[in-house]
């Protein structure tokens, strides 16, 4: 049975904020270990989980309540970084950190607006 739209929206925004927070931690770890010998830079990866969620949407036309929580992603080495012996590029990591910060801010604004609409609905539109 589908979740109510407000619960689905809140869950999706919360999961996205959690993922952005985890991504920030991974990037910070890459920056902190930039000069560590043998360190392989990491990324938070979602490809497999997102495809599973898309398949669920195609088959059922809705996401199961646990499907959003499954989109947490997994931490793994940057593609081909381990084989090539790639070191952390600080310029690329700082750009990724800035991009993630903007995404996090957009998500918090979206969650704030969603919660404001719910508060307005709970107050029966009275202001």
């Amino acid at each position: 049975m589908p979740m109510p739209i407000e619960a689905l929206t809140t869950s999706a925004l919360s999961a996205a904020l959690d993922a952005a927070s985890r991504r920030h931690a991974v990037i910070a770890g890459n920056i902190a270990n930039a000069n560590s010998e043998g360190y392989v830079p990491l990324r938070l990866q979602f490809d497999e989980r997102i495809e599973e969620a898309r398949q669920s949407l195609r088959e059922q036309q809705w996401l199961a309540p646990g499907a959003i929580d499954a989109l947490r992603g997994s931490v793994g080495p940057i593609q081909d970084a381990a084989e090539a012996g790639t070191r952390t590029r600080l310029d690329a990591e700082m750009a990724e950190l800035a991009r993630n910060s903007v995404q996090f801010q957009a998500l918090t604004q979206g969650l704030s607006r969603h919660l404001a609409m719910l508060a307005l609905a709970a107050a029966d539109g009275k202001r």
Side-chain angles (χ1 to χ4, degrees):
M1 182 163 124
M3 293 174 71
I5 190 70
E6 70 277 354
L8 181 64
T9 303
T10 303
S11 295
L13 286 169
S14 296
L17 280 168
D18 183 46
S21 178
R22 290 183 68 214
R23 187 179 305 112
H24 212 78
V26 170
I27 296 167
N30 288 343
I31 293 170
N33 291 298
N35 292 325
S36 298
E37 191 64 37
Y39 179 77
V40 177
L42 304 173
R43 281 286 178 260
L44 191 59
Q45 301 163 346
F46 297 95
D47 296 343
E48 181 179 311
R49 303 284 167 95
I50 289 176
E51 190 52 44
E52 290 171 7
R54 285 180 181 152
Q55 185 65 26
S56 175
L57 277 173
R58 278 187 223 114
E59 292 172 359
Q60 302 172 357
Q61 302 300 313
W62 55 277
L63 283 175
I68 292 174
D69 293 333
L71 293 174
R72 292 181 45 89
S74 60
V75 177
I78 293 177
Q79 300 290 338
D80 301 326
E83 295 84 19
T86 304
R87 296 194 59 132
T88 303
R89 291 185 40 223
L90 287 178
D91 58 339
E93 294 299 323
M94 292 304 293
E96 189 68 21
L97 193 64
R99 187 189 67 76
N100 191 60
S101 294
V102 169
Q103 184 180 21
F104 189 86
Q105 290 172 359
L107 288 167
T108 54
Q109 287 177 357
L111 183 60
S112 177
R113 288 180 181 158
H114 177 69
L115 294 175
M117 285 189 293
L118 290 177
L120 185 63
D124 291 329
K126 298 175 185 171
R127 276 205 168 191

